[in-house]
Amino acid sequence: MVSVPEDRRADDSARPPAGSDRREFLGRAVGACLGAGAVAGGLFHGGPAAAQEADGEKAGRLIVRTLRPVNLESAPATLDSFLTPNDEFFIRSHHGAPTVNAETWEISVEGLVDRPLKWSIKDLEAMEPTTRSGVLQCAGNGRANFSPKVPGLLWQRGAVGQAEWAGIQLGRLLEEAGVKPEAAHVHFIGGDVPPTPKTPAFVRSIPIDRARHDDTLIALKMNGEPLPVLHGGPARIVVPGWAANNWSKWIRKLVVSTEEAPGVYMQSGYRIPRTPVPPGVDPDPKDLVPVTWMNVKSLITSPGLDAQLKRGPIEIRGVAWTGEGHVVKVEVSTGAGPDAEWREAELEDEPRQGSWRRFKLAWEPPAPGEYVLRARATDSEGQVQPETSPWNKSGYLWNGYDQVACRVS
Amino acid sequence: MKFPIAAALIAVVLVLAGLGAWWMMVPEVVEAPAEPREPEAVAVADRTEEEDVAHRDLMAKKALEASCLVCHEMRMITGLRLTPAQWTAEVDKMVNWGAVVSEGDRRLIADYLARTQPVDAPPPAPELIALASVESPEIPPGDEDPIEGDAAEGEKLYMTLCSACHGPTGMGGELGPSLANRAIIGHTAAYNEIVQKGLRRMPPFGEVLKPQQQRDILVWLRGLPRDAVAAAL
């Protein structure tokens, strides 16, 4: 077991009440085990939620956060492959998806350009496509783990996925329009309409250098299919290595500017202090920077939370990714406490900026009982996944050790 | 004027019916709420403290449903576990973003949520769903089913009956959410049902608008510029 403070050991919820539903108990046990993290950083898995996640893994379905607008989380078991199927891929919507007619959809560029231009989807399809894999992760993935708790959708482990994105390099479109030398940012304006005129539109921007980078695309396809509407179709931004707040959906207009995009979603949302500040302390606004590069992170996809395993050889599997660079190592611990042994897992897939790598490790449980499996990744920049992430008031970029409790009989 | 008298009369009736329906809704919306009161102050002779709490819960839930569900569903709220200060800040944020909540209801809602969804309560069990089984007017249909209608007629009707709440350009207003470019206008059946039966603050228009007039409005809505947000910025 992970070290558990006395008051939590005494918690009745960690004891198997005679005759109670085993699943429910295990769910609570998971909560209690993970609750140990509350000392250092806090985890927020309740019993029923944990049990439900396990069900989702078996059924290969999505976890409902909200249906209006549509916010769905992937079940970790469905993230077990190199590419995540489109209909099992998490969905994040700030405002509802707009009506889409790909026949008449146009994307324009204006602002600090020599030639304001407009392209139809057909125009873009006629250009030479770039195809690449890339991890898309919500900036708030794992928000549920922060303690004290923060407002915002309580994503747990599955607001992440990897797809093969195909589209046109954004830099190429900007080049066609002729970017003026003083340009510093590109604003992304989508077709999604806020519910009231007082509600801010979801408008974002990225610096011009990132917009011109070879990796940055306007994607028209996801895993070989036309980009589904709920994933931003017919056209979304792809910024491999950067968190999903930069991957704007339903792109209608690009505005080249000297300034970052105005508005709540760029100027106060999706910002994080450069140096962490404790809860209750307001960070210096000048120290708040946009969430861009993801941090190094791993996810155990099998066994699932609350899995009931038979003794014998077990394969622990998962995926690991980072922002800048690529994952070079994933270690897995099946033991308890700070002295637990960490073993290096076997990494699959080519190391590539912005893509994840699968990992696996053979494990033979020495005895029946309850185990907590933990994973931590290291990237080519030397970042190591920490046990818990520094708290921030919006709950961004959680990358504490991934943990899965299971029972071996 | 081409408008025949009969049509003019119908229009007048429509306006009156619309206004009547709207007026009937008004008290629920703008009625001055009870002053924020301390529990002691609320306790009256014929009510126990428990009944007072139950009454305030009921009022808070009504206010929540009327104000918050215009833009999102309850899970956006029920999924959260926050401190009283955080709940107050969330409610204030939503008011700044266009939620119509009176000063008194703000406190009622924040107090209710702080009490029923405190920071240390376990999270609700999330539901699971297969994407293919999600039938929601939030999800734009692959193809809008073509409908026949007169957009000019639809515009007139919209301006008379709908624009007060949904805004003259369909971008939403104080009482009704935006419709321009929204997925709902691609779902004819869901649109018809809401127009005919009403929804939350919206009165039913089934007796007010003929089926063809409902289609006319929908045709006009579908013809609105598709880059509404870009145009509004």
Side-chain angles (χ1 to χ4, degrees):
Chain A
M1 283 292 296
V2 197
S3 72
V4 174
E6 284 307 315
D7 59 339
R8 279 188 187 270
R9 279 195 193 126
D11 184 348
D12 282 341
S13 70
R15 284 195 201 120
S20 85
D21 179 274
R22 170 161 291 247
R23 168 175 293 283
E24 196 188 321
F25 161 65
L26 282 172
R28 285 207 305 270
V30 171
C33 292
L34 295 181
V39 188
L43 283 159
F44 186 36
H45 297 276
Q52 289 276 356
E53 188 184 335
D55 283 340
E57 289 176 12
K58 282 173 198 123
R61 289 177 172 186
L62 290 151
I63 301 163
V64 180
R65 295 291 166 218
T66 66
L67 287 179
R68 192 165 71 95
V70 181
N71 286 296
L72 301 169
E73 178 169 341
S74 295
T78 62
L79 303 175
D80 204 34
S81 49
F82 184 66
L83 297 176
T84 312
N86 291 355
D87 57 2
E88 289 172 357
F89 207 104
F90 86 97
I91 292 166
R92 171 77 178 108
S93 321
H94 288 83
H95 308 312
T99 48
V100 167
N101 181 346
E103 301 281 304
T104 55
W105 193 271
E106 285 182 326
I107 298 172
S108 61
V109 59
E110 57 187 61
L112 296 174
V113 291
D114 299 326
R115 296 168 291 278
L117 292 173
K118 249 183 198 182
W119 300 274
S120 67
I121 296 299
K122 276 210 176 70
D123 294 337
L124 298 178
E125 281 171 346
M127 296 179 191
E128 195 195 330
T130 298
T131 302
R132 58 152 305 147
S133 55
V135 173
L136 176 62
Q137 181 185 214
C138 177
N141 190 28
R143 176 178 290 129
N145 297 329
F146 283 101
S147 178
K149 293 181 182 77
V150 295
L153 289 169
L154 291 180
W155 303 107
Q156 293 185 341
R157 303 162 66 222
V160 62
Q162 172 157 277
E164 185 187 81
W165 310 97
I168 312 304
Q169 285 174 330
L170 182 56
R172 187 189 152 162
L173 299 180
L174 293 172
E175 197 181 329
E176 236 179 80
V179 171
K180 293 192 192 290
E182 64 270 33
H185 299 271
V186 179
H187 304 184
F188 302 135
I189 295 150
D192 45 334
V193 180
T196 87
K198 283 189 186 168
T199 318
F202 187 76
V203 179
R204 298 272 318 166
S205 63
I206 62 172
I208 191 84
D209 291 349
R210 187 48 35 186
R212 279 171 159 157
H213 194 279
D214 285 352
D215 278 353
T216 305
L217 309 177
I218 288 191
L220 307 174
K221 284 188 169 178
M222 180 178 183
N223 292 326
E225 293 171 24
L227 188 63
V229 171
L230 289 177
H231 291 294
R236 87 175 298 167
I237 302 294
V238 164
V239 196
W242 284 29
N245 50 304
N246 301 288
W247 298 42
S248 288
K249 294 156 87 167
W250 307 301
I251 292 297
R252 296 233 45 146
K253 184 149 93 171
L254 311 166
V255 179
V256 181
S257 170
T258 53
E259 305 294 326
E260 279 181 351
V264 166
Y265 284 111
M266 191 68 206
Q267 293 305 320
S268 53
Y270 295 109
R271 288 191 178 246
I272 195 166
R274 220 179 256 123
T275 1
V277 295
V281 177
D282 282 331
D284 181 352
K286 287 197 294 285
D287 202 38
L288 287 170
V289 292
V291 173
T292 56
W293 292 107
M294 296 186 287
N295 44 17
V296 66
K297 192 164 174 178
S298 58
L299 173 74
I300 297 169
T301 54
S302 181
L305 276 188
D306 190 21
Q308 310 239 25
L309 306 167
K310 290 235 155 57
R311 222 179 133 192
I314 291 165
E315 188 173 65
I316 299 171
R317 294 195 306 274
V319 289
W321 64 94
T322 189
E324 216 163 355
H326 56 266
V327 167
V328 294
K329 183 165 74 174
V330 174
E331 297 160 285
V332 174
S333 160
T334 54
D339 302 327
E341 186 199 352
W342 289 84
R343 288 198 293 148
E344 201 168 328
E346 184 188 332
L347 278 175
E348 299 177 68
D349 308 312
E350 290 303 303
R352 183 173 192 195
Q353 159 75 51
S355 290
W356 70 24
R357 300 181 76 180
R358 287 169 290 177
F359 66 85
K360 59 183 182 186
L361 180 77
W363 173 48
E364 188 122 12
E370 282 170 30
Y371 290 86
V372 176
L373 315 179
R374 293 181 291 168
R376 69 176 178 212
T378 302
D379 73 14
S380 55
E381 304 283 304
Q383 277 196 85
V384 183
Q385 196 175 346
E387 189 170 357
T388 63
S389 299
W391 185 90
N392 61 90
K393 74 175 177 63
S394 303
Y396 297 135
L397 295 175
W398 170 267
N399 74 332
Y401 294 169
D402 196 43
Q403 307 194 47
V404 165
C406 58
R407 188 182 183 90
V408 176
S409 57
Chain B
M1 186 168 164
K2 279 193 221 161
F3 227 44
I5 289 171
L9 275 175
I10 289 170
V12 169
V13 169
L14 285 179
V15 172
L16 289 177
L19 281 177
W22 180 76
W23 177 249
M24 279 160 56
M25 302 310 292
V26 168
E28 190 196 29
V29 175
V30 294
E31 184 182 24
E35 283 292 301
R37 286 165 297 190
E38 297 307 318
E40 309 80 69
V42 180
V44 287
D46 58 344
R47 265 201 223 144
T48 65
E49 199 172 310
E50 267 174 25
E51 283 169 336
D52 278 329
V53 171
H55 176 70
R56 275 188 300 152
D57 282 1
L58 194 71
M59 297 305 287
K61 271 191 253 180
K62 268 186 79 171
L64 257 178
E65 281 167 20
S67 307
C68 310
L69 301 193
V70 175
C71 301
H72 50 71
E73 61 138 326
M74 274 306 277
R75 269 176 288 223
M76 190 69 89
I77 301 164
T78 54
L80 295 182
R81 296 291 178 271
L82 300 173
T83 62
Q86 284 174 314
W87 276 123
T88 301
E90 283 301 291
V91 173
D92 288 348
K93 177 182 166 191
M94 291 300 109
V95 169
N96 285 334
W97 284 21
V100 179
V101 190
S102 68
E103 192 65 42
D105 279 354
R106 273 197 223 187
R107 188 162 152 196
L108 199 63
I109 291 173
D111 286 352
Y112 169 74
L113 292 172
R115 197 163 44 75
T116 55
Q117 291 173 225
V119 75
D120 52 357
E127 290 161 54
L128 297 152
I129 206 158
L131 189 58
S133 73
V134 182
E135 277 182 34
S136 163
E138 273 294 301
I139 303 177
D143 293 300
E144 288 168 8
D145 48 336
I147 51 163
E148 301 274 321
D150 180 339
E153 206 51 45
E155 181 175 11
K156 278 186 217 156
L157 290 163
Y158 178 90
M159 292 306 165
T160 310
L161 297 173
C162 318
S163 67
C165 295
H166 292 286
T169 56
M171 295 296 280
E174 290 223 316
L175 302 178
S178 54
L179 299 170
N181 304 183
R182 298 295 296 262
I184 179 70
I185 64 172
H187 293 276
T188 311
Y191 162 89
N192 284 339
E193 179 159 341
I194 295 171
V195 169
Q196 286 161 17
K197 297 184 181 164
L199 180 65
R200 289 185 294 273
R201 285 169 168 172
M202 178 172 158
F205 285 90
E207 302 291 318
V208 179
L209 288 167
K210 291 179 191 152
Q212 185 54 52
Q213 291 175 313
Q214 296 171 25
R215 285 195 289 275
D216 292 343
I217 294 174
L218 187 56
V219 166
W220 179 74
L221 284 169
R222 286 185 181 176
L224 288 172
R226 294 299 169 102
D227 55 353
V229 169
L233 282 170

